[in-house]
Amino acid sequence: MRLNNVTVRYGELTAVDAVDLTLADGEILALLGPSGCGKSTLLRAVAGLVPLDEGDIEIDGRSLAGVPVHKRQIGLVFQDGQLFEHRTVAGNIAYGLAGRPRAEVAGLVDELLNLVGLAGYGDRPTSTLSGGQAQRVALARSLAPSPAVLLLDEPLSALDRALREHLSTELRQILKRAGVTSLYVTHDHDEAFAVADRVALMNEGQIVRVATPHELLAHPGEGWAGEFLDADPIVPATVIDSGASSRLTIDTEVTVPERLAAGEQVELRVRLLKERADERPSDAHERL
Ligand code: ADP
């Protein structure tokens, strides 16, 4: 998918300002920025829910100009999955498959339930699902018609932090297995880094920087981007004992952007900064 000079105005306000972005097939791109920077507006513009004032969006080389929402082959997942309460889990997932033979639909629904880790949940009423399960069903439903592009708008924001951390990693695996090109809107750094292949930093309607999570963490940059990322200090360490888990020694001074009293005891959170081995999209999407 290609966005060329995409611009959206609300009266005097330019909410999305001349955005250029290219997503490779099967790539997950996170749109990360503070509240009000224009992320949702950009996503809605791709979906066709708000008109462009300037620019163009192409999927597979074809312009979306004049293509109505339902013909864009775009899947949407929102913060609140908005499941149909009167349908079962399977009924929700099958929603976008109307008109296909029953056996084909049943097979697809089972495949999608497997993909999102809810095998056997088909007959459950949606009211019995936890928040995390409901979002997985919403994801399966949006993947069912094999969208060309999946748009996710803060899909984990309604969940608590622990669940969010767990699900963001799982969500990445699901999207990679499905092989679907995904634009993922979030204001949460950790979520963006866990989910995305590349992260586009957005501020005041503009894309400030596009880089891999590793590049952004290792080199947060100057000015607004560096401050927004509020990056943890980077410390060198040596592996002294290697196994299923490894022991390291850290021996260094660090600088943190806080005023602390000399002699004060503090804690630092340490995480491993390592480039993620890219998972290859499987052929699952072809079959869906
Ligand atoms: P984000 O998703 O990053 O929080 P939004 O795209 O929702 O940002 O909003 C970008 C800017 O556009 C904000 O200043 C917001 O107040 C404004 N805005 C969003 N929707 C509308 C609308 N329907 N009418 C007028 N202004 C809007």
Side-chain angles (χ1 to χ4, degrees):
M1 176 164 72
R2 265 183 111 92
L3 280 64
N4 306 312
N5 188 36
V6 168
T7 301
V8 179
R9 299 189 187 95
Y10 297 116
E12 296 286 286
L13 175 81
T14 303
V16 175
D17 191 359
V19 165
D20 294 321
L21 273 179
T22 302
L23 280 76
D25 281 350
E27 182 178 30
I28 307 170
L29 184 95
L31 208 49
L32 173 67
S35 179
C37 74
K39 305 181 295 295
S40 292
T41 300
L42 181 55
L43 189 117
R44 292 166 65 82
V46 174
L49 299 167
V50 293
L52 303 190
D53 287 287
E54 280 174 48
D56 187 33
I57 300 165
E58 285 174 9
I59 295 180
D60 291 333
R62 282 190 296 273
S63 169
L64 294 182
V67 180
V69 178
H70 63 283
K71 294 223 167 120
R72 291 194 171 200
Q73 285 190 286
I74 277 172
L76 280 164
V77 181
F78 295 105
Q79 177 175 336
D80 160 15
Q82 300 173 347
L83 297 179
F84 306 113
E85 280 170 28
H86 56 283
R87 288 174 173 241
T88 60
V89 166
N92 268 277
I93 298 175
Y95 175 74
L97 302 173
R100 301 211 201 168
R102 270 178 94 131
E104 184 188 324
V105 170
L108 253 174
V109 167
D110 279 349
E111 206 172 313
L112 286 158
L113 282 170
N114 262 323
L115 180 71
V116 300
L118 291 177
Y121 278 65
D123 293 333
R124 298 226 187 164
T126 55
S127 57
T128 63
L129 301 176
S130 70
Q133 289 169 341
Q135 282 306 74
R136 286 189 244 184
V137 173
L139 180 62
R141 181 180 61 184
S142 62
L143 288 172
S146 292
V149 171
L150 187 66
L151 306 176
L152 304 105
D153 195 354
E154 305 267 3
L156 304 180
S157 297
L159 309 173
D160 63 50
R161 174 155 280 280
L163 187 58
R164 211 154 67 219
E165 277 181 21
H166 169 74
L167 268 186
S168 53
T169 309
E170 196 179 305
L171 192 59
R172 173 177 171 80
Q173 289 163 357
I174 294 170
L175 295 176
K176 281 289 158 192
R177 254 182 269 145
V180 64
T181 308
S182 305
L183 187 59
Y184 190 107
V185 162
T186 180
H187 65 274
D188 184 305
H189 309 43
D190 292 334
E191 201 178 309
F193 295 151
V195 168
D197 295 309
R198 286 188 306 153
V199 177
L201 288 182
M202 192 168 183
N203 189 33
E204 296 182 346
Q206 299 182 337
I207 302 297
V208 179
R209 194 169 161 207
V210 186
T212 64
H214 183 264
E215 282 164 356
L216 284 179
L217 284 167
H219 309 287
E222 308 278 298
W224 176 85
E227 254 170 60
F228 175 71
L229 291 171
D230 190 13
D232 301 326
I234 293 174
V235 299
T238 309
V239 180
I240 52 167
D241 196 1
S242 159
S245 60
S246 308
R247 285 194 312 133
L248 295 84
T249 52
I250 301 169
D251 181 22
T252 186
E253 282 180 14
V254 298
T255 303
V256 296
E258 300 263 336
R259 179 179 291 278
L260 300 169
E264 193 179 337
Q265 288 290 311
V266 297
E267 291 177 316
L268 290 173
R269 194 162 71 134
V270 178
R271 73 168 137 187
L272 186 61
L273 199 62
K274 193 166 140 257
E275 249 163 316
R276 192 170 44 209
D278 242 26
E279 292 146 275
R280 300 180 72 223
S282 75
D283 61 352
H285 191 241
E286 304 300 321
R287 284 184 282 118
L288 291 181

